[in-house]
Amino acid sequence: MKKIALSVAALALSAGAAVAADLPSRKGPPVLPPPPPAPPMWTGFYAGLNAGYGFGTNSNTQAYSLAGNENWGDPIIGVRRGNPDLEDDVDASYPVYGLNPVFAPSGVGSALTSAFSHTQSGFIGGGQIGYNYQWGSNFVLGIEADIQGTGIRGTGHGIGVGSATYSSSASGLVGSESSEGIDTWTGVVSASSLGVTRVNAGVDWMGTVRGRLGYLFTPAMLLYATGGLTYGGAYASATNYAVNNVSSSQSFSTTEKSGNVFPGGFVGTEALSQTFVGGGNKSSTLVGWNVGGGLEWMFMPNWSLKAEAIYWNMGNMNVATYSVAAPSVSASDGTVGSVPSISVGNTRVNYQGVIARAGVNYHFNWFAPAPVVASY
């Protein structure tokens, strides 16, 4: 009986173990490796287009000129003895008046010298290429080059006045030996001038090469500073116009050997006007600098929009100017007049402004690391 009970108990235990072996087992969740970090989507080459407007900043244009001296003429007195009309006085003499050409100043140089404000503005558009390197999760370093066609133009005007005075005199012996005297000729030439200088200048094309340093506020939003080299094709045309009004007064007197002075009277006053017309032009490639900043948004894979403002300055360009005036004579006997005159000068034009523009870029990401796909 005891043996039968032990056999039944052993059978029950073995049956329970078999049933437990057939039940489904429960295990804990598998331990997975951490997800790989997102690849730096800003690293790589990019290219795009941009358009905007160039605002001219206050630029001081300076023009100066040196007027060629006018040949007004210096008086001379020649003394001739032996007046054929006085047969009984072979020692008689009489003065012969004339002009000895000399150069006298005018006010044209001052009239064509001025300083005035001159700004250049216009639309601008072109393309850019660059390369970015994302450093960590927040910083982006890069370099960018662009080339632009521009409609940047500007015109300025300067007004100047000038004046000058020139005086001269000459003396000669007159009369017989018994009543010999001195005849004195005096003359004064006064000139007053009004001039206008007009400058038309601009930039036909422009390019920049700039470094960029940016900070990512979000993975897709970049705020950056930029600066570097600016170069471009600049031109300037200067036009000069001046009117020079001249008056001349002349008189003479005779001083006898005895000391008596006899005014010879007022010889006369003459006036004339000269017009100077001319200028100069020049084109050159200038090189300068720039600094600015902007914001760029990666709005979808490989595509970004940007907006930026850049101050640029390409320095100065000097334009040589030449203005000429035709000869003028007002008196019928030619006692007052001028030869052809020239005014030689220089006009300095400055080129600077602020570009505000928007653009779109396509990012190639040729060298960006491929995303890591986890396998289990």
Side-chain angles (χ1 to χ4, degrees), residues 47-70:
L49 301 174
N50 70 80
Y53 195 83
F55 298 88
T57 56
N58 187 24
S59 174
N60 190 28
T61 294
Q62 294 181 332
Y64 72 86
S65 184
L66 301 174
N69 294 327
E70 282 71 28

Side-chain angles (χ1 to χ4, degrees), residues 318-334:
N318 294 317
V319 181
T321 58
Y322 305 89
S323 303
V324 297
S328 300
V329 175
S330 64
S332 59
D333 59 0

